[in-house]
Amino acid sequence: MTVRGSARMRRVSSNGWRVPSYHCELAWLGDDQAVADVLVTIDGDRIASVDPSASPPADATRLRGLTVPGFANSHSHAFHRALRGRAQAGTGSFWTWREQMYEVAASLDPDRYRDLARAVFAEMVQAGISAVGEFHYLHHGPGGVPYDDHNAMGAALIAAATEAGLRITLLDTCYLQGGIDVELDETQRRFSDGDALAWATRASALQDAPTVRIGAAIHSVRAVDPAAIEVVAAWAGERGAPLHAHVSEQPAENEQSVAAFGRTPIQLLAERGAVSERFTAVHATHVTEDDLDALGGADSWCCLCPTTERDLADGIGPARAMRDAGAHLTLGSDSHAVIDLLEEARAVELDERLASGVRGSHDAPSLLRAATTHGHESLGWRDAGRIEPGALADLTTIALDTVRTAGGGPEHSIEMAVFAATAADVHHVVIGGRVVVSDGHHVSIDVAAELADALP
Ligand SMILES: [Zn+2]
């Protein structure tokens, strides 16, 4: 499989224009109901004030529909977008899907990765996403040979996010073995730094910037041995950085972990210092009650990726039990079977209904919180994901007059947005005070054309 580059995608995008104030027809300010006629003023990249106002100033831009904080996509592998459509044909399992995914990985170099990620991140922006947690493990060239700049691939992702107009938390991922005591295969050699100290040296060369945070990730207990887990956890701890890990996505991972270490993946990660209030367990589909107690007790995050988990036949994560144990829920589009945080949000509740026979474990405001406030916090953006003075000025407006969302009335606008709207109903997006989506279109990128160009 090849991924084409394109000279015309080399242009640097403008990042949208600034507007001094918005008058929101309806705004979700974190409560159970939306508030009508809210005036939001902007100062630079921050929200200056939030006030109910029936008579806004003449220069305020009217936002019709429901305005919510920008969404946080807390778990992404940008290049997996190339599998959309292709991976849904035929039969198989997570493990056969992984073979297809490795084919795509093998075709990428920094230039192609930048083009592909720019288009995928622009798709996210158009879906109302203002920050992405990119779980990045494709570090090196063919055979595992580093590029001249050892962080060329990470730099490509950061540049792509900047051009697309959203913030990125680059979760630089340690990946050292093909399975517990299994050698790396040809593709996996590109993921590995050789050992954890080499990983730490390379990751330490990456730097935060106003729209960039550097975090760490442990790919999984399959790919990172216990001593290396300690090194990555210590690196993140020294920096106060987010630390993410794939956890218990498949029953086979649990079986292998228990057989090798006498512990579940969460128990092993906790024992080695990884589980804290900065830790996100991605998936956590097949966890025990003790695992949930460990995550909740540490004030950790659980990132559910329901559209990927159902696509890969992973199972349904115990979202209510996670929350009841004290863990906080976040959402990710992961493999990008679709990029639609509203679909991820409602899937948490709707999948739980199918699994439990009970309706209403997660109400619409709590699902929106997972998609916004919690997601940003888990990615190290504690000053985002809220419409309040001082927060980063991220506003995602969902149209309530489309064929999917018309009717229902303002008192049910949050439920309408979460349970019926799609990414296609996002018609206006502001990130860091800049307009990046207007009338449903990215202001500087033809997203569909760039996707078609960048994807095989
Ligand atoms: Zn993942």
Side-chain angles (χ1 to χ4, degrees), residues 75 77 246 283 334:
H75 188 66
H77 310 280
H246 291 125
H283 304 301
D334 188 7

Side-chain angles (χ1 to χ4, degrees), residues 40-54:
V40 179
T41 63
I42 310 288
D43 182 9
D45 63 353
R46 304 268 163 181
I47 294 172
S49 64
V50 180
D51 296 297
S53 171

